[in-house]
Amino acid sequence: METVVAVEEGEGIKQESASEIVINRSDSSNLIADPVFYKLARVVGDGIYIPATDDEVMKAEDLIDHKSSLHFVLDNSQTAVLNSNDDTFVEEFMPIDCEDLLEFEDPSTRGERSDAVVDTTVDLGKLNPRFEEVTRSESTPVDQSGDGKQADPVPRSAESEPSMSTICSSWKPDFSKLKGEICLDNLSVKELHATFKATFGRETSVKDKQWLKRRISMGLSNSCDVSLTTFNIESNEIEKKDQLEDCSNKDENRNKYSFTGHEGGNDGGDNKISLGQSQTIQMDDRFSGISKSVQSGEGDNQGNKRVRKPTRRYIEEVSESDSREYSGRPVSSARSSGSGPRTRVRPVHNIQPVRKPLVTRHDSLGGSGVEIPYVSRIRRGRPRENFMSLMKFQPYGMGMTARLVKKAHDGHDPQSDNDIGNEELKATPATGWSLQPLIKEPGENEEYSEQSADLNNISDEGQMDSYADVDSDENILTVPTAKGGMRRKHHRPWTLSEVVKLVEGVSRYGAGRWSEIKRIAFATCSHRTSVDLKDKWRNLLRASFAQLPAEKGVQNSKKHSSIPIPAPILLRVRELAEMQSQVSPDLKAVKFDGHSGRNVNDIRSGFL
DNA sequence: TTTAGGG
DNA sequence: CCCTAAA
């Protein structure tokens, strides 16, 4: 039932294309759902997984299509199984206190999930490639006895999962509130690119509309912790490339991704994205920071041997090994383990820990594309709330993985690996002081936590927000822009997913409870202070009332350089504002022209 | 410390 | 985004 698609690469990471795609399919045919789990990743010499690039993902998808007409089954109730990996992951990597979340949880939805929700999972592979496989492969070599047994329908990886899903399952964003529909289908490739960028904070060169749409929809649906997201493809099949064109032609207009979910129901907020013709993707999404309660100090001992934290030594080695350029794969002690790259999978952590002492980062601000030296960060503001808890579990900043994700635009660039490396270097001073375990100094701690946060982001489909993450940190300096102006380094554009999280947060807690929202929804985003949220909300409000009337281009104003915010989001913003009486009188005038078919009141029905 | 606003 | 005032 689980299929791992891996692209293996030679050690020289740079030799990008020398990779082969390996598909291991272990099937336990007995599983009812027979869900197919695809994970796509590149395995480098050390056995380290590198997140697949967009291109790779595409290739893999094609490959999959051809090879077997696997149909992605959706039905049934194997949810737990599929999610298990994610949960496990979360358990270990996202040790955030869940209490707050629970607080808002609707009791009625609790515990219902098992029967009500059916997350059949079809991981298209692009979803969260690396974490999953890493996680599971470590404990269970693919296709081994554990999984294959009939007696045990549930993959071993599921062992420790239940708790999480139970606890947090109900905590999902309700996209139901996004009444508008996101008509990705109407967008041109170019527009899709813009949206893609807005969503993930990075660009892509993929021209495939279908792919872009899917990707974007996924990105929208899950904000940070994608690891928890599962998609359901009800149509049985995922249309592949052949269809690419068809889709664009036939369903150009009617094919829309719409968020319609219903919160109170059984699914407790599962969201569905209707793909128009025949596909329905169900997203089991939750607020970014969800995590299971992590009280046990170790949190990962019980039953999971899956993930191990990198040893300090490892980290040190890595950092020492290269101060020049990140080759893409840490030297890693892992190497010594020796078995074939494919068989031995190193814990994700190994990948990232690299706090490379590199010193520059490519900055695209202002379009000048300059290399900017990294400066040690100065802690600013408040981001620190959840850090302790985070650090507790992942002292070494495993979050790096996230960075591994290529932000590469589309993977064509042979150098992408390097680029990534550079980005990763970012906050680490050349001195390497950051190597020391957390608990050092405020600044450092923060960094670690940020990394953790990054992890979450990545998980989803691989790389959303990766760009943003990289960019974050404390680059307080200003950067020269092409135009000659000086721009603040700090500004990190809001990604669509962040916006969505914000909106969700406001819907739950209400505008004004910024700190709450920050804590919960942005727990994993160390940047974005409550003030930032507030400011962003202010902007959203303005934007929503300004642009809605036109209700036109979802993201047309290209001139505004800033990321376009999809109309549906703005709509939601407006609704929330209205219901919360945040609307200023003058703006109100505009709003009553009757668009919203839905009553604003039900927006929060499940909450407050 | 967190909010609300102004810059 | 930043800064500041007010709570």
Side-chain angles (χ1 to χ4, degrees), chain A residues 1-4 24-26 35 37 39 85 136 142 155 157:
Chain A
M1 64 174 266
E2 302 224 16
T3 300
V4 173
N24 291 319
R25 190 172 185 217
S26 56
F37 226 91
K39 294 139 189 199
N85 290 320
R136 64 192 308 293
V142 178
S157 50

Side-chain angles (χ1 to χ4, degrees), chain A residues 13 126 455:
Chain A
I13 291 177
K126 5 154 172 205
L455 256 187

Side-chain angles (χ1 to χ4, degrees), chain A residues 339-357:
Chain A
S339 3
R342 199 191 331 172
T343 36
R344 86 167 158 4
V345 181
R346 285 311 257 185
V348 183
H349 319 45
N350 289 332
I351 302 175
Q352 36 108 314
V354 200
R355 300 189 115 332
K356 290 140 213 130

Side-chain angles (χ1 to χ4, degrees), chain A residues 2-117:
Chain A
E2 302 224 16
T3 300
V4 173
V5 177
V7 176
E8 287 192 313
E9 269 196 48
E11 303 214 348
I13 291 177
K14 299 193 173 181
Q15 336 164 1
E16 53 161 359
S17 59
S19 37
E20 59 177 0
I21 294 180
V22 178
I23 295 182
N24 291 319
R25 190 172 185 217
S26 56
D27 59 66
S28 9
S29 41
N30 29 17
L31 289 184
I32 299 170
D34 185 28
V36 181
F37 226 91
Y38 289 98
K39 294 139 189 199
L40 188 117
R42 219 153 16 109
V43 180
V44 287
D46 315 22
I48 291 172
Y49 277 86
I50 302 247
T53 61
D54 293 350
D55 284 349
E56 289 171 338
V57 170
M58 291 186 74
K59 286 181 193 170
E61 285 182 43
D62 290 342
L63 194 151
I64 291 167
D65 289 340
H66 297 318
K67 291 221 158 185
S68 46
S69 49
L70 304 167
H71 50 295
F72 300 87
V73 180
L74 11 125
D75 86 274
N76 86 12
S77 41
Q78 289 294 335
T79 310
V81 176
L82 297 175
N83 292 332
S84 62
N85 290 320
D86 291 333
D87 290 337
T88 302
F89 174 76
V90 172
E91 196 175 326
E92 310 227 7
F93 297 80
M94 303 169 78
I96 296 170
D97 202 339
C98 223
E99 295 183 2
D100 292 301
L101 294 176
L102 294 177
E103 205 175 309
F104 293 86
E105 205 168 6
D106 180 344
S108 63
T109 61
R110 280 216 194 185
E112 290 186 348
R113 177 182 198 194
S114 55
D115 35 17
V117 182

Side-chain angles (χ1 to χ4, degrees), chain A residues 130-131 197 199-202 223-226 361-363 374 377 399-407 420 422-427 446-447 449-460 462-475 489-495 497-498 501 522-528:
Chain A
R130 59 204 124 167
F131 293 117
K197 184 176 181 184
T199 305
F200 303 109
R202 70 191 175 81
S223 334
C224 276
D225 75 340
V226 187
R361 82 193 252 287
H362 181 75
D363 185 76
Y374 281 98
R377 96 156 15 172
M400 290 295 319
T401 336
R403 301 236 171 101
L404 289 182
V405 176
K406 254 173 156 188
K407 75 179 224 165
I420 295 169
N422 288 335
E423 303 242 9
E424 296 198 59
L425 311 181
K426 62 168 198 175
E446 190 169 342
E447 284 218 40
S449 48
E450 273 192 1
Q451 292 187 348
S452 300
D454 289 347
L455 256 187
N456 296 329
N457 291 335
I458 308 159
S459 56
D460 68 301
Q463 36 216 30
M464 62 182 314
D465 288 356
S466 58
Y467 174 82
D469 291 330
V470 172
D471 185 72
S472 59
D473 287 339
E474 58 289 355
N475 306 306
K489 193 95 192 307
H490 243 335
H491 296 344
R492 173 194 313 209
W494 276 68
T495 62
S497 65
E498 285 175 320
K501 283 193 293 183
F522 290 82
T524 55
C525 304
S526 57
H527 53 287
R528 306 303 185 205

Side-chain angles (χ1 to χ4, degrees), chain A residues 16 53 55 205-207 406 408-416:
Chain A
E16 53 161 359
T53 61
D55 284 349
S205 61
V206 175
K207 308 281 194 307
K406 254 173 156 188
H409 315 5
D410 58 324
H412 284 121
D413 179 359
Q415 264 192 313
S416 47

